[in-house]
Amino acid sequence: MIHEHMFTEKYRPKSLKEVIGGDEIRGLYEGIINDPWTLPNILLSTRSAGTGKTSIAKAIIADIGADSLFLNASDDRGINTIREQVKEFAMTQGFTRNIPKVVHLDEADGLTKEAQESLRSIMERYSSNCRFIFTCNNESKIIEPIKSRCIQISLNKPPKDKIHERLRFIVDQESMNIKDEEIDDIIEFFYPDIRLMINEIEYLKTFGKSNRRNIADEVYALLKKRKFTEARKLWIAEQTSPRLLVKEIFTRLMSDDTLSKEQVVMGVEYVAETDFRIAMGSDAEITLANLTIKLVSAVFK
Ligand SMILES: Nc1ncnc2c1ncn2[C@@H]1O[C@H](COP(=O)(O)OP(=O)(O)OP(=O)(O)O)[C@@H](O)[C@H]1O
Ligand SMILES: [Mg+2]
């Protein structure tokens, strides 16, 4: 479970104009705003979490004012869900009839192959009134027939100066007293994950201290003492982001001179595997637990 704090929703871009980066899609944007029927089916991907895939899809839908159906594919993976919900939505007449309806399939790489297969015909059948936007981390899990029905857009990492402007805006809105250098530190630390940066700002406001160092030191120390259960209790109690903790464990492994070279190599391999699996959509809380068990049983033994 990745904790979604309030600020990330409060400051989710309401329009593509507020989105940081996303230049790859802006070429299409003007045309879509002028004539929403020019909206193509889109497959939007990046390997980096928290950089705006879901936000961009939602922003486009909001900007054209389309009726939309949001499906998070990793919750509703099955073929029946797709058939029933998409069909029903596509078939019924919307009240905004002069613009296409949009089905947003978030985390579409979590869809089963069968579900994707069943979408092929649905996409075609309702192409006269419906468009599809797929967002995902791993476009290699999307079947070719769907790709060929979409414009594929792969997003680059958002530029740091623009992130700085956005974080400055949030900090000012929240009447927080944070210097530019501190904002830069937050960006460096979490880059490119803007969600984690905004979570950090919320944490600073709520608890008056950073979430970057404090818990990680304690968790790492407990793991070295092979106290897995206590470590887990701590990160859960403190609502620490699993992804953040993985990064923190990595930093500590790299600078821990009490470990042998072999221990560091093995530990970093586990961390890299965890990072990859989370990026590919595995449940972060479970994956983190798996990493820490491996560290306790194989690295810190
Ligand atoms: N490019 C961006 N511009 C503005 N805000 C952003 C951007 N990317 C992320 N955010 C902020 O972070 C939050 C999470 O972003 P979003 O859900 O769009 O990320 P994502 O790329 O879909 O992540 P995931 O890979 O975890 O699905 C947003 O609600 C918003 O507050
Ligand atoms: Mg997303």
Side-chain angles (χ1 to χ4, degrees):
M1 171 181 49
I2 296 170
H3 301 283
E4 283 285 6
H5 295 260
M6 252 173 51
F7 279 17
T8 50
E9 283 313 318
K10 185 171 173 188
Y11 294 104
R12 191 188 281 281
K14 313 262 177 311
S15 155
L16 199 69
K17 294 194 187 88
E18 288 177 37
V19 168
I20 304 158
D23 293 344
E24 302 77 9
I25 204 154
R26 289 184 199 274
L28 284 174
Y29 184 67
E30 207 143 302
I32 297 169
I33 293 302
N34 287 333
D35 178 7
W37 290 104
T38 62
L39 175 70
N41 296 318
I42 299 175
L43 171 59
L44 198 60
S45 66
T46 51
R47 294 267 158 154
S48 325
T51 53
K53 293 175 293 290
T54 304
S55 299
I56 287 175
K58 287 188 168 178
I60 292 174
I61 292 166
D63 284 342
I64 62 174
D67 282 350
S68 65
L69 172 68
F70 177 86
L71 290 173
N72 187 304
S74 40
D75 296 338
D76 290 318
R77 317 175 113 226
I79 186 165
N80 291 333
T81 317
I82 298 303
R83 272 218 192 95
E84 295 317 314
Q85 297 201 40
V86 175
K87 264 188 180 174
E88 193 181 325
F89 170 76
M91 273 162 54
T92 50
Q93 301 241 319
F95 46 84
T96 34
R97 291 177 60 191
N98 56 342
I99 42 179
K101 296 176 166 200
V102 183
V103 177
H104 175 192
L105 279 138
D106 198 32
E107 303 188 19
D109 40 5
L111 285 170
T112 60
K113 257 189 134 199
E114 293 72 29
Q116 294 189 40
E117 289 289 347
S118 79
L119 270 178
R120 290 168 63 168
S121 57
I122 293 179
M123 285 173 80
E124 241 140 60
R125 190 167 329 144
Y126 301 107
S127 63
S128 63
N129 70 333
C130 234
R131 301 290 183 270
F132 290 76
I133 303 180
F134 298 86
T135 43
C136 70
N137 282 330
N138 185 359
E139 73 286 350
S140 71
K141 286 199 182 159
I142 306 295
I143 60 172
E144 285 305 322
I146 288 198
K147 284 186 185 159
S148 75
R149 287 165 173 78
C150 293
I151 288 195
Q152 287 186 54
I153 297 177
S154 169
L155 296 167
N156 292 320
K157 290 182 181 165
K160 288 182 183 171
D161 55 336
K162 291 282 183 310
I163 298 178
H164 186 108
E165 281 172 24
R166 181 75 176 166
L167 298 187
R168 168 52 63 202
F169 168 77
I170 294 174
V171 160
D172 290 347
Q173 285 288 310
E174 296 296 328
S175 313
M176 293 168 74
N177 187 13
I178 296 185
K179 293 197 189 80
D180 280 338
E181 297 80 59
E182 201 174 340
I183 291 181
D184 285 336
D185 284 349
I186 293 173
I187 295 170
E188 286 307 321
F189 191 80
F190 295 107
Y191 191 76
D193 192 328
I194 300 174
R195 180 193 287 116
L196 290 181
M197 296 174 201
I198 296 176
N199 281 348
E200 167 71 358
I201 288 173
E202 183 169 10
Y203 197 94
L204 279 169
K205 180 158 188 197
T206 314
F207 298 106
K209 59 178 183 175
S210 169
N211 189 26
R212 276 173 280 167
R213 302 252 135 63
N214 50 359
I215 305 307
D217 276 333
E218 288 175 49
V219 168
Y220 190 78
L222 286 167
L223 291 176
K224 281 192 79 173
K225 288 188 213 152
R226 312 188 61 217
K227 294 186 172 172
F228 165 75
T229 312
E230 281 181 38
R232 184 164 177 273
K233 268 189 198 151
L234 178 64
W235 84 63
I236 289 175
E238 290 291 328
Q239 302 210 344
T240 310
S241 151
R243 294 204 323 252
L244 169 56
L245 207 50
V246 171
K247 271 194 192 169
E248 290 284 344
I249 289 170
F250 169 71
T251 317
R252 278 160 187 73
L253 276 171
M254 292 300 284
S255 59
D256 188 341
D257 51 19
T258 68
L259 299 177
S260 69
K261 209 171 140 195
E262 289 71 26
Q263 282 174 304
V264 174
V265 170
M266 193 190 286
V268 170
E269 258 174 39
Y270 290 145
V271 169
E273 187 190 321
T274 305
D275 186 52
F276 179 75
R277 281 163 56 187
I278 293 177
M280 291 296 107
S282 294
D283 183 287
E285 176 67 36
I286 297 172
T287 316
L288 172 64
N290 181 258
L291 166 69
T292 51
I293 288 168
K294 281 180 176 159
L295 290 175
V296 166
S297 59
V299 178
F300 299 145
K301 61 180 183 173

